[in-house]
PDB file of all heavy atoms in Angstrom:
ATOM      1  N   PRO O   1       0.777  -1.158  -0.045  1.00  0.00           N
ATOM      2  CA  PRO O   1       0.056   0.046   0.000  1.00  0.00           C
ATOM      3  C   PRO O   1       0.888   1.251   0.025  1.00  0.00           C
ATOM      4  O   PRO O   1       1.874   1.393   0.521  1.00  0.00           O
ATOM      5  CB  PRO O   1      -0.768  -0.086   1.321  1.00  0.00           C
ATOM      6  CG  PRO O   1      -0.030  -1.092   2.185  1.00  0.00           C
ATOM      7  CD  PRO O   1       0.598  -1.944   1.279  1.00  0.00           C
ATOM      8  N   PHE O   2       0.256   2.308  -0.562  1.00  0.00           N
ATOM      9  CA  PHE O   2       1.012   3.614  -0.701  1.00  0.00           C
ATOM     10  C   PHE O   2      -0.067   4.657  -0.914  1.00  0.00           C
ATOM     11  O   PHE O   2      -0.367   5.066  -2.039  1.00  0.00           O
ATOM     12  CB  PHE O   2       2.017   3.559  -1.909  1.00  0.00           C
ATOM     13  CG  PHE O   2       2.920   4.729  -1.982  1.00  0.00           C
ATOM     14  CD1 PHE O   2       3.909   4.681  -2.933  1.00  0.00           C
ATOM     15  CD2 PHE O   2       2.804   5.886  -1.323  1.00  0.00           C
ATOM     16  CE1 PHE O   2       4.772   5.786  -3.060  1.00  0.00           C
ATOM     17  CE2 PHE O   2       3.559   6.964  -1.388  1.00  0.00           C
ATOM     18  CZ  PHE O   2       4.636   6.828  -2.332  1.00  0.00           C
ATOM     19  N   PRO O   3      -0.753   5.161   0.124  1.00  0.00           N
ATOM     20  CA  PRO O   3      -1.832   6.056   0.047  1.00  0.00           C
ATOM     21  C   PRO O   3      -1.543   7.233  -0.748  1.00  0.00           C
ATOM     22  O   PRO O   3      -2.587   7.758  -1.483  1.00  0.00           O
ATOM     23  CB  PRO O   3      -2.221   6.360   1.508  1.00  0.00           C
ATOM     24  CG  PRO O   3      -1.675   5.255   2.336  1.00  0.00           C
ATOM     25  CD  PRO O   3      -0.472   4.814   1.645  1.00  0.00           C
ATOM     26  N   THR O   4      -0.488   7.888  -0.758  1.00  0.00           N
ATOM     27  CA  THR O   4      -0.188   9.164  -1.390  1.00  0.00           C
ATOM     28  C   THR O   4       0.517   9.037  -2.684  1.00  0.00           C
ATOM     29  O   THR O   4       1.018  10.008  -3.350  1.00  0.00           O
ATOM     30  CB  THR O   4       0.654  10.108  -0.488  1.00  0.00           C
ATOM     31  OG1 THR O   4       1.944   9.643  -0.340  1.00  0.00           O
ATOM     32  CG2 THR O   4      -0.069  10.400   0.802  1.00  0.00           C
ATOM     33  N   GLU O   5       0.530   7.811  -3.337  1.00  0.00           N
ATOM     34  CA  GLU O   5       1.277   7.508  -4.616  1.00  0.00           C
ATOM     35  C   GLU O   5       0.718   8.429  -5.699  1.00  0.00           C
ATOM     36  O   GLU O   5      -0.468   8.521  -5.838  1.00  0.00           O
ATOM     37  CB  GLU O   5       1.275   6.126  -4.834  1.00  0.00           C
ATOM     38  CG  GLU O   5       2.046   5.678  -6.117  1.00  0.00           C
ATOM     39  CD  GLU O   5       2.067   4.226  -6.365  1.00  0.00           C
ATOM     40  OE1 GLU O   5       1.332   3.445  -5.831  1.00  0.00           O
ATOM     41  OE2 GLU O   5       2.971   3.831  -7.303  1.00  0.00           O
ATOM     42  N   LEU O   6       1.655   8.936  -6.442  1.00  0.00           N
ATOM     43  CA  LEU O   6       1.325   9.710  -7.629  1.00  0.00           C
ATOM     44  C   LEU O   6       1.765   8.966  -8.964  1.00  0.00           C
ATOM     45  O   LEU O   6       2.873   8.617  -8.966  1.00  0.00           O
ATOM     46  CB  LEU O   6       2.015  11.060  -7.672  1.00  0.00           C
ATOM     47  CG  LEU O   6       1.548  12.052  -6.492  1.00  0.00           C
ATOM     48  CD1 LEU O   6       2.470  13.254  -6.460  1.00  0.00           C
ATOM     49  CD2 LEU O   6       0.086  12.456  -6.612  1.00  0.00           C
ATOM     50  N   THR O   7       0.767   8.560  -9.796  1.00  0.00           N
ATOM     51  CA  THR O   7       1.067   7.919 -11.041  1.00  0.00           C
ATOM     52  C   THR O   7       1.023   8.901 -12.224  1.00  0.00           C
ATOM     53  O   THR O   7       0.896   8.381 -13.333  1.00  0.00           O
ATOM     54  CB  THR O   7       0.116   6.743 -11.207  1.00  0.00           C
ATOM     55  OG1 THR O   7      -1.128   7.158 -11.181  1.00  0.00           O
ATOM     56  CG2 THR O   7       0.391   5.737 -10.103  1.00  0.00           C
ATOM     57  N   ASP O   8       1.049  10.053 -11.960  1.00  0.00           N
ATOM     58  CA  ASP O   8       0.909  11.122 -12.985  1.00  0.00           C
ATOM     59  C   ASP O   8       2.228  11.805 -13.310  1.00  0.00           C
ATOM     60  O   ASP O   8       3.349  11.324 -12.870  1.00  0.00           O
ATOM     61  CB  ASP O   8      -0.172  12.261 -12.607  1.00  0.00           C
ATOM     62  CG  ASP O   8       0.155  12.866 -11.298  1.00  0.00           C
ATOM     63  OD1 ASP O   8       1.376  12.711 -10.742  1.00  0.00           O
ATOM     64  OD2 ASP O   8      -0.661  13.548 -10.725  1.00  0.00           O
ATOM     65  N   GLU O   9       2.205  12.903 -13.928  1.00  0.00           N
ATOM     66  CA  GLU O   9       3.465  13.603 -14.335  1.00  0.00           C
ATOM     67  C   GLU O   9       4.199  14.180 -13.182  1.00  0.00           C
ATOM     68  O   GLU O   9       5.399  14.305 -13.190  1.00  0.00           O
ATOM     69  CB  GLU O   9       3.137  14.752 -15.341  1.00  0.00           C
ATOM     70  CG  GLU O   9       2.355  15.915 -14.918  1.00  0.00           C
ATOM     71  CD  GLU O   9       0.892  15.669 -14.826  1.00  0.00           C
ATOM     72  OE1 GLU O   9       0.452  14.539 -15.284  1.00  0.00           O
ATOM     73  OE2 GLU O   9       0.078  16.572 -14.589  1.00  0.00           O
ATOM     74  N   ILE O  10       3.438  14.513 -12.162  1.00  0.00           N
ATOM     75  CA  ILE O  10       4.115  14.936 -10.903  1.00  0.00           C
ATOM     76  C   ILE O  10       4.983  13.840 -10.207  1.00  0.00           C
ATOM     77  O   ILE O  10       6.113  14.041  -9.821  1.00  0.00           O
ATOM     78  CB  ILE O  10       3.121  15.613  -9.858  1.00  0.00           C
ATOM     79  CG1 ILE O  10       2.480  16.821 -10.504  1.00  0.00           C
ATOM     80  CG2 ILE O  10       3.873  15.928  -8.573  1.00  0.00           C
ATOM     81  CD1 ILE O  10       1.443  17.439  -9.707  1.00  0.00           C
ATOM     82  N   GLY O  11       4.407  12.658 -10.176  1.00  0.00           N
ATOM     83  CA  GLY O  11       5.096  11.534  -9.730  1.00  0.00           C
ATOM     84  C   GLY O  11       6.387  11.201 -10.560  1.00  0.00           C
ATOM     85  O   GLY O  11       7.436  10.880  -9.985  1.00  0.00           O
ATOM     86  N   ASP O  12       6.251  11.352 -11.840  1.00  0.00           N
ATOM     87  CA  ASP O  12       7.471  11.302 -12.731  1.00  0.00           C
ATOM     88  C   ASP O  12       8.461  12.257 -12.490  1.00  0.00           C
ATOM     89  O   ASP O  12       9.664  11.940 -12.552  1.00  0.00           O
ATOM     90  CB  ASP O  12       6.947  11.206 -14.168  1.00  0.00           C
ATOM     91  CG  ASP O  12       5.978  10.034 -14.577  1.00  0.00           C
ATOM     92  OD1 ASP O  12       6.181   8.948 -13.864  1.00  0.00           O
ATOM     93  OD2 ASP O  12       5.328  10.158 -15.600  1.00  0.00           O
ATOM     94  N   LEU O  13       7.987  13.480 -12.198  1.00  0.00           N
ATOM     95  CA  LEU O  13       8.987  14.643 -11.987  1.00  0.00           C
ATOM     96  C   LEU O  13       9.758  14.388 -10.747  1.00  0.00           C
ATOM     97  O   LEU O  13      10.949  14.460 -10.688  1.00  0.00           O
ATOM     98  CB  LEU O  13       8.199  15.881 -11.795  1.00  0.00           C
ATOM     99  CG  LEU O  13       9.055  17.154 -11.553  1.00  0.00           C
ATOM    100  CD1 LEU O  13       9.955  17.458 -12.623  1.00  0.00           C
ATOM    101  CD2 LEU O  13       8.084  18.340 -11.137  1.00  0.00           C
ATOM    102  N   LEU O  14       9.074  13.957  -9.641  1.00  0.00           N
ATOM    103  CA  LEU O  14       9.706  13.553  -8.348  1.00  0.00           C
ATOM    104  C   LEU O  14      10.623  12.492  -8.519  1.00  0.00           C
ATOM    105  O   LEU O  14      11.824  12.624  -8.073  1.00  0.00           O
ATOM    106  CB  LEU O  14       8.660  13.185  -7.365  1.00  0.00           C
ATOM    107  CG  LEU O  14       7.647  14.208  -6.772  1.00  0.00           C
ATOM    108  CD1 LEU O  14       6.620  13.642  -5.863  1.00  0.00           C
ATOM    109  CD2 LEU O  14       8.444  15.385  -6.174  1.00  0.00           C
ATOM    110  N   GLY O  15      10.383  11.495  -9.306  1.00  0.00           N
ATOM    111  CA  GLY O  15      11.261  10.387  -9.581  1.00  0.00           C
ATOM    112  C   GLY O  15      12.490  10.837 -10.406  1.00  0.00           C
ATOM    113  O   GLY O  15      13.491  10.381 -10.030  1.00  0.00           O
ATOM    114  N   THR O  16      12.197  11.611 -11.357  1.00  0.00           N
ATOM    115  CA  THR O  16      13.460  12.064 -12.262  1.00  0.00           C
ATOM    116  C   THR O  16      14.298  13.076 -11.457  1.00  0.00           C
ATOM    117  O   THR O  16      15.511  12.831 -11.424  1.00  0.00           O
ATOM    118  CB  THR O  16      12.881  12.763 -13.477  1.00  0.00           C
ATOM    119  OG1 THR O  16      12.021  11.898 -14.216  1.00  0.00           O
ATOM    120  CG2 THR O  16      14.025  13.253 -14.365  1.00  0.00           C
ATOM    121  N   ARG O  17      13.749  14.027 -10.758  1.00  0.00           N
ATOM    122  CA  ARG O  17      14.505  15.058 -10.045  1.00  0.00           C
ATOM    123  C   ARG O  17      15.172  14.301  -8.905  1.00  0.00           C
ATOM    124  O   ARG O  17      16.356  14.672  -8.572  1.00  0.00           O
ATOM    125  CB  ARG O  17      13.718  16.191  -9.618  1.00  0.00           C
ATOM    126  CG  ARG O  17      13.359  17.176 -10.792  1.00  0.00           C
ATOM    127  CD  ARG O  17      12.582  18.443 -10.180  1.00  0.00           C
ATOM    128  NE  ARG O  17      13.261  19.105  -9.145  1.00  0.00           N
ATOM    129  CZ  ARG O  17      14.268  19.961  -9.270  1.00  0.00           C
ATOM    130  NH1 ARG O  17      14.679  20.305 -10.566  1.00  0.00           N
ATOM    131  NH2 ARG O  17      14.867  20.583  -8.189  1.00  0.00           N
ATOM    132  N   GLY O  18      14.545  13.495  -8.248  1.00  0.00           N
ATOM    133  CA  GLY O  18      15.140  12.797  -7.085  1.00  0.00           C
ATOM    134  C   GLY O  18      15.995  11.546  -7.356  1.00  0.00           C
ATOM    135  O   GLY O  18      16.585  11.013  -6.435  1.00  0.00           O
ATOM    136  N   LYS O  19      16.142  11.252  -8.650  1.00  0.00           N
ATOM    137  CA  LYS O  19      16.923  10.054  -9.129  1.00  0.00           C
ATOM    138  C   LYS O  19      16.510   8.898  -8.314  1.00  0.00           C
ATOM    139  O   LYS O  19      17.246   8.223  -7.656  1.00  0.00           O
ATOM    140  CB  LYS O  19      18.460  10.368  -8.960  1.00  0.00           C
ATOM    141  CG  LYS O  19      18.923  11.401  -9.859  1.00  0.00           C
ATOM    142  CD  LYS O  19      20.457  11.615  -9.673  1.00  0.00           C
ATOM    143  CE  LYS O  19      21.021  12.706 -10.577  1.00  0.00           C
ATOM    144  NZ  LYS O  19      20.418  14.027 -10.559  1.00  0.00           N
ATOM    145  N   GLU O  20      15.316   8.678  -8.340  1.00  0.00           N
ATOM    146  CA  GLU O  20      14.608   7.615  -7.481  1.00  0.00           C
ATOM    147  C   GLU O  20      14.652   6.274  -8.131  1.00  0.00           C
ATOM    148  O   GLU O  20      13.745   5.696  -8.666  1.00  0.00           O
ATOM    149  CB  GLU O  20      13.164   7.990  -7.113  1.00  0.00           C
ATOM    150  CG  GLU O  20      12.978   9.227  -6.311  1.00  0.00           C
ATOM    151  CD  GLU O  20      13.619   9.201  -5.000  1.00  0.00           C
ATOM    152  OE1 GLU O  20      14.060   8.062  -4.487  1.00  0.00           O
ATOM    153  OE2 GLU O  20      13.663  10.136  -4.264  1.00  0.00           O
ATOM    154  N   PHE O  21      15.912   5.592  -7.820  1.00  0.00           N
ATOM    155  CA  PHE O  21      16.151   4.357  -8.339  1.00  0.00           C
ATOM    156  C   PHE O  21      16.900   3.561  -7.225  1.00  0.00           C
ATOM    157  O   PHE O  21      17.714   4.192  -6.676  1.00  0.00           O
ATOM    158  CB  PHE O  21      16.946   4.200  -9.646  1.00  0.00           C
ATOM    159  CG  PHE O  21      16.234   4.823 -10.867  1.00  0.00           C
ATOM    160  CD1 PHE O  21      16.395   6.163 -11.246  1.00  0.00           C
ATOM    161  CD2 PHE O  21      15.397   3.988 -11.685  1.00  0.00           C
ATOM    162  CE1 PHE O  21      15.653   6.694 -12.353  1.00  0.00           C
ATOM    163  CE2 PHE O  21      14.743   4.424 -12.796  1.00  0.00           C
ATOM    164  CZ  PHE O  21      14.896   5.812 -13.013  1.00  0.00           C
ATOM    165  N   GLY O  22      16.555   2.346  -6.981  1.00  0.00           N
ATOM    166  CA  GLY O  22      17.171   1.617  -5.804  1.00  0.00           C
ATOM    167  C   GLY O  22      18.602   1.406  -5.998  1.00  0.00           C
ATOM    168  O   GLY O  22      19.079   1.101  -7.016  1.00  0.00           O
ATOM    169  N   THR O  23      19.283   1.773  -4.872  1.00  0.00           N
ATOM    170  CA  THR O  23      20.771   1.472  -4.918  1.00  0.00           C
ATOM    171  C   THR O  23      21.193  -0.021  -5.143  1.00  0.00           C
ATOM    172  O   THR O  23      22.144  -0.255  -5.915  1.00  0.00           O
ATOM    173  CB  THR O  23      21.439   2.045  -3.528  1.00  0.00           C
ATOM    174  OG1 THR O  23      21.113   3.371  -3.409  1.00  0.00           O
ATOM    175  CG2 THR O  23      22.875   1.757  -3.497  1.00  0.00           C
ATOM    176  N   VAL O  24      20.387  -0.914  -4.591  1.00  0.00           N
ATOM    177  CA  VAL O  24      20.651  -2.304  -4.610  1.00  0.00           C
ATOM    178  C   VAL O  24      20.205  -2.884  -5.966  1.00  0.00           C
ATOM    179  O   VAL O  24      20.884  -3.613  -6.709  1.00  0.00           O
ATOM    180  CB  VAL O  24      20.143  -3.064  -3.415  1.00  0.00           C
ATOM    181  CG1 VAL O  24      20.327  -4.539  -3.551  1.00  0.00           C
ATOM    182  CG2 VAL O  24      20.959  -2.602  -2.153  1.00  0.00           C
ATOM    183  N   THR O  25      18.841  -2.632  -6.259  1.00  0.00           N
ATOM    184  CA  THR O  25      18.207  -3.421  -7.334  1.00  0.00           C
ATOM    185  C   THR O  25      18.134  -2.465  -8.629  1.00  0.00           C
ATOM    186  O   THR O  25      17.743  -3.050  -9.652  1.00  0.00           O
ATOM    187  CB  THR O  25      16.778  -3.705  -6.942  1.00  0.00           C
ATOM    188  OG1 THR O  25      15.992  -2.515  -6.713  1.00  0.00           O
ATOM    189  CG2 THR O  25      16.858  -4.603  -5.635  1.00  0.00           C
ATOM    190  N   SER O  26      18.355  -1.175  -8.557  1.00  0.00           N
ATOM    191  CA  SER O  26      18.073  -0.185  -9.621  1.00  0.00           C
ATOM    192  C   SER O  26      16.671  -0.151  -9.914  1.00  0.00           C
ATOM    193  O   SER O  26      16.309   0.416 -11.093  1.00  0.00           O
ATOM    194  CB  SER O  26      19.024  -0.579 -10.888  1.00  0.00           C
ATOM    195  OG  SER O  26      20.304  -0.449 -10.496  1.00  0.00           O
ATOM    196  N   ARG O  27      15.675  -0.815  -9.225  1.00  0.00           N
ATOM    197  CA  ARG O  27      14.266  -0.618  -9.463  1.00  0.00           C
ATOM    198  C   ARG O  27      13.796   0.829  -9.361  1.00  0.00           C
ATOM    199  O   ARG O  27      14.262   1.488  -8.395  1.00  0.00           O
ATOM    200  CB  ARG O  27      13.496  -1.466  -8.543  1.00  0.00           C
ATOM    201  CG  ARG O  27      13.577  -3.040  -8.869  1.00  0.00           C
ATOM    202  CD  ARG O  27      12.539  -3.791  -7.923  1.00  0.00           C
ATOM    203  NE  ARG O  27      13.109  -3.766  -6.608  1.00  0.00           N
ATOM    204  CZ  ARG O  27      12.431  -4.340  -5.524  1.00  0.00           C
ATOM    205  NH1 ARG O  27      11.310  -5.052  -5.746  1.00  0.00           N
ATOM    206  NH2 ARG O  27      12.951  -4.239  -4.385  1.00  0.00           N
ATOM    207  N   LYS O  28      12.939   1.261 -10.183  1.00  0.00           N
ATOM    208  CA  LYS O  28      12.349   2.565 -10.149  1.00  0.00           C
ATOM    209  C   LYS O  28      11.439   2.566  -8.861  1.00  0.00           C
ATOM    210  O   LYS O  28      10.672   1.696  -8.591  1.00  0.00           O
ATOM    211  CB  LYS O  28      11.541   2.904 -11.337  1.00  0.00           C
ATOM    212  CG  LYS O  28      10.905   4.247 -11.403  1.00  0.00           C
ATOM    213  CD  LYS O  28      10.114   4.514 -12.652  1.00  0.00           C
ATOM    214  CE  LYS O  28       9.557   5.898 -12.698  1.00  0.00           C
ATOM    215  NZ  LYS O  28       8.712   6.183 -13.873  1.00  0.00           N
ATOM    216  N   ARG O  29      11.660   3.738  -8.013  1.00  0.00           N
ATOM    217  CA  ARG O  29      10.821   3.854  -6.911  1.00  0.00           C
ATOM    218  C   ARG O  29       9.472   4.533  -7.120  1.00  0.00           C
ATOM    219  O   ARG O  29       9.417   5.383  -8.096  1.00  0.00           O
ATOM    220  CB  ARG O  29      11.546   4.723  -5.870  1.00  0.00           C
ATOM    221  CG  ARG O  29      12.841   4.042  -5.346  1.00  0.00           C
ATOM    222  CD  ARG O  29      13.684   4.950  -4.472  1.00  0.00           C
ATOM    223  NE  ARG O  29      14.974   4.382  -4.107  1.00  0.00           N
ATOM    224  CZ  ARG O  29      16.100   5.128  -3.976  1.00  0.00           C
ATOM    225  NH1 ARG O  29      16.143   6.464  -4.075  1.00  0.00           N
ATOM    226  NH2 ARG O  29      17.165   4.456  -3.580  1.00  0.00           N
ATOM    227  N   ARG O  30       8.523   4.094  -6.520  1.00  0.00           N
ATOM    228  CA  ARG O  30       7.216   4.715  -6.550  1.00  0.00           C
ATOM    229  C   ARG O  30       7.132   5.993  -5.689  1.00  0.00           C
ATOM    230  O   ARG O  30       7.869   6.133  -4.707  1.00  0.00           O
ATOM    231  CB  ARG O  30       6.040   3.854  -6.090  1.00  0.00           C
ATOM    232  CG  ARG O  30       5.962   2.442  -6.643  1.00  0.00           C
ATOM    233  CD  ARG O  30       5.448   1.347  -5.812  1.00  0.00           C
ATOM    234  NE  ARG O  30       4.078   1.558  -5.416  1.00  0.00           N
ATOM    235  CZ  ARG O  30       3.430   0.888  -4.609  1.00  0.00           C
ATOM    236  NH1 ARG O  30       4.051  -0.174  -3.882  1.00  0.00           N
ATOM    237  NH2 ARG O  30       2.149   1.083  -4.169  1.00  0.00           N
ATOM    238  N   CYS O  31       6.640   7.082  -6.330  1.00  0.00           N
ATOM    239  CA  CYS O  31       6.772   8.449  -5.581  1.00  0.00           C
ATOM    240  C   CYS O  31       5.414   9.076  -5.363  1.00  0.00           C
ATOM    241  O   CYS O  31       4.432   8.747  -6.050  1.00  0.00           O
ATOM    242  CB  CYS O  31       7.515   9.382  -6.492  1.00  0.00           C
ATOM    243  SG  CYS O  31       9.242   8.938  -6.898  1.00  0.00           S
ATOM    244  N   GLY O  32       5.359   9.760  -4.281  1.00  0.00           N
ATOM    245  CA  GLY O  32       4.038  10.443  -3.845  1.00  0.00           C
ATOM    246  C   GLY O  32       4.247  11.583  -3.057  1.00  0.00           C
ATOM    247  O   GLY O  32       5.461  11.883  -2.505  1.00  0.00           O
ATOM    248  N   TRP O  33       3.175  12.241  -2.578  1.00  0.00           N
ATOM    249  CA  TRP O  33       3.226  13.504  -1.636  1.00  0.00           C
ATOM    250  C   TRP O  33       3.732  13.052  -0.276  1.00  0.00           C
ATOM    251  O   TRP O  33       3.591  11.790   0.126  1.00  0.00           O
ATOM    252  CB  TRP O  33       1.942  14.161  -1.585  1.00  0.00           C
ATOM    253  CG  TRP O  33       1.362  14.811  -2.825  1.00  0.00           C
ATOM    254  CD1 TRP O  33       0.243  14.470  -3.624  1.00  0.00           C
ATOM    255  CD2 TRP O  33       2.104  15.835  -3.500  1.00  0.00           C
ATOM    256  NE1 TRP O  33       0.201  15.363  -4.571  1.00  0.00           N
ATOM    257  CE2 TRP O  33       1.255  16.190  -4.561  1.00  0.00           C
ATOM    258  CE3 TRP O  33       3.265  16.615  -3.298  1.00  0.00           C
ATOM    259  CZ2 TRP O  33       1.491  17.201  -5.511  1.00  0.00           C
ATOM    260  CZ3 TRP O  33       3.671  17.499  -4.305  1.00  0.00           C
ATOM    261  CH2 TRP O  33       2.747  17.801  -5.406  1.00  0.00           C
ATOM    262  N   PHE O  34       4.130  13.911   0.501  1.00  0.00           N
ATOM    263  CA  PHE O  34       4.589  13.685   1.891  1.00  0.00           C
ATOM    264  C   PHE O  34       3.372  13.280   2.629  1.00  0.00           C
ATOM    265  O   PHE O  34       2.293  13.814   2.650  1.00  0.00           O
ATOM    266  CB  PHE O  34       5.141  14.949   2.469  1.00  0.00           C
ATOM    267  CG  PHE O  34       5.510  14.734   3.921  1.00  0.00           C
ATOM    268  CD1 PHE O  34       6.864  14.197   4.163  1.00  0.00           C
ATOM    269  CD2 PHE O  34       4.877  15.068   4.999  1.00  0.00           C
ATOM    270  CE1 PHE O  34       7.274  14.103   5.372  1.00  0.00           C
ATOM    271  CE2 PHE O  34       5.289  14.995   6.247  1.00  0.00           C
ATOM    272  CZ  PHE O  34       6.518  14.301   6.588  1.00  0.00           C
ATOM    273  N   ASP O  35       3.517  12.077   3.392  1.00  0.00           N
ATOM    274  CA  ASP O  35       2.436  11.454   4.152  1.00  0.00           C
ATOM    275  C   ASP O  35       2.673  11.830   5.618  1.00  0.00           C
ATOM    276  O   ASP O  35       3.405  11.104   6.316  1.00  0.00           O
ATOM    277  CB  ASP O  35       2.396   9.983   3.960  1.00  0.00           C
ATOM    278  CG  ASP O  35       1.066   9.416   4.546  1.00  0.00           C
ATOM    279  OD1 ASP O  35       0.530   9.965   5.513  1.00  0.00           O
ATOM    280  OD2 ASP O  35       0.540   8.462   3.970  1.00  0.00           O
ATOM    281  N   GLY O  36       2.117  12.881   6.127  1.00  0.00           N
ATOM    282  CA  GLY O  36       2.413  13.398   7.426  1.00  0.00           C
ATOM    283  C   GLY O  36       1.791  12.420   8.443  1.00  0.00           C
ATOM    284  O   GLY O  36       2.250  12.258   9.613  1.00  0.00           O
ATOM    285  N   VAL O  37       0.698  11.729   8.101  1.00  0.00           N
ATOM    286  CA  VAL O  37       0.005  10.800   9.042  1.00  0.00           C
ATOM    287  C   VAL O  37       1.008   9.651   9.280  1.00  0.00           C
ATOM    288  O   VAL O  37       1.213   9.158  10.456  1.00  0.00           O
ATOM    289  CB  VAL O  37      -1.280  10.331   8.375  1.00  0.00           C
ATOM    290  CG1 VAL O  37      -1.919   9.213   9.448  1.00  0.00           C
ATOM    291  CG2 VAL O  37      -2.213  11.428   8.144  1.00  0.00           C
ATOM    292  N   LEU O  38       1.542   9.067   8.269  1.00  0.00           N
ATOM    293  CA  LEU O  38       2.385   7.887   8.492  1.00  0.00           C
ATOM    294  C   LEU O  38       3.766   8.272   9.180  1.00  0.00           C
ATOM    295  O   LEU O  38       4.162   7.554  10.068  1.00  0.00           O
ATOM    296  CB  LEU O  38       2.777   7.339   7.135  1.00  0.00           C
ATOM    297  CG  LEU O  38       1.873   6.232   6.541  1.00  0.00           C
ATOM    298  CD1 LEU O  38       2.318   5.694   5.215  1.00  0.00           C
ATOM    299  CD2 LEU O  38       1.723   5.120   7.627  1.00  0.00           C
ATOM    300  N   VAL O  39       4.308   9.447   8.790  1.00  0.00           N
ATOM    301  CA  VAL O  39       5.427   9.884   9.496  1.00  0.00           C
ATOM    302  C   VAL O  39       5.272  10.212  11.026  1.00  0.00           C
ATOM    303  O   VAL O  39       6.005   9.689  11.807  1.00  0.00           O
ATOM    304  CB  VAL O  39       6.159  11.137   8.797  1.00  0.00           C
ATOM    305  CG1 VAL O  39       7.211  11.643   9.624  1.00  0.00           C
ATOM    306  CG2 VAL O  39       6.632  10.696   7.400  1.00  0.00           C
ATOM    307  N   ARG O  40       4.157  10.819  11.286  1.00  0.00           N
ATOM    308  CA  ARG O  40       3.826  11.062  12.640  1.00  0.00           C
ATOM    309  C   ARG O  40       3.606   9.740  13.333  1.00  0.00           C
ATOM    310  O   ARG O  40       4.117   9.509  14.595  1.00  0.00           O
ATOM    311  CB  ARG O  40       2.517  11.859  12.825  1.00  0.00           C
ATOM    312  CG  ARG O  40       2.184  12.237  14.215  1.00  0.00           C
ATOM    313  CD  ARG O  40       0.913  13.239  14.171  1.00  0.00           C
ATOM    314  NE  ARG O  40      -0.202  12.676  13.616  1.00  0.00           N
ATOM    315  CZ  ARG O  40      -1.263  13.375  13.293  1.00  0.00           C
ATOM    316  NH1 ARG O  40      -1.378  14.619  13.612  1.00  0.00           N
ATOM    317  NH2 ARG O  40      -2.276  12.587  12.798  1.00  0.00           N
ATOM    318  N   GLN O  41       3.094   8.744  12.757  1.00  0.00           N
ATOM    319  CA  GLN O  41       2.918   7.400  13.400  1.00  0.00           C
ATOM    320  C   GLN O  41       4.303   6.690  13.617  1.00  0.00           C
ATOM    321  O   GLN O  41       4.539   6.192  14.633  1.00  0.00           O
ATOM    322  CB  GLN O  41       2.076   6.640  12.438  1.00  0.00           C
ATOM    323  CG  GLN O  41       1.658   5.151  12.929  1.00  0.00           C
ATOM    324  CD  GLN O  41       0.586   4.637  12.074  1.00  0.00           C
ATOM    325  OE1 GLN O  41      -0.291   5.254  11.487  1.00  0.00           O
ATOM    326  NE2 GLN O  41       0.569   3.261  11.879  1.00  0.00           N
TER     327      GLN O  41
END
């Protein structure tokens, strides 16, 4: 599960600018908005 996941151009932008690929697997990371609820938890 990933409640704040973005599958649109913003998600792609975050992935591109953040170079979101796994260090170990090189898998593309799923990207989304900051989830304050989860972080607080």
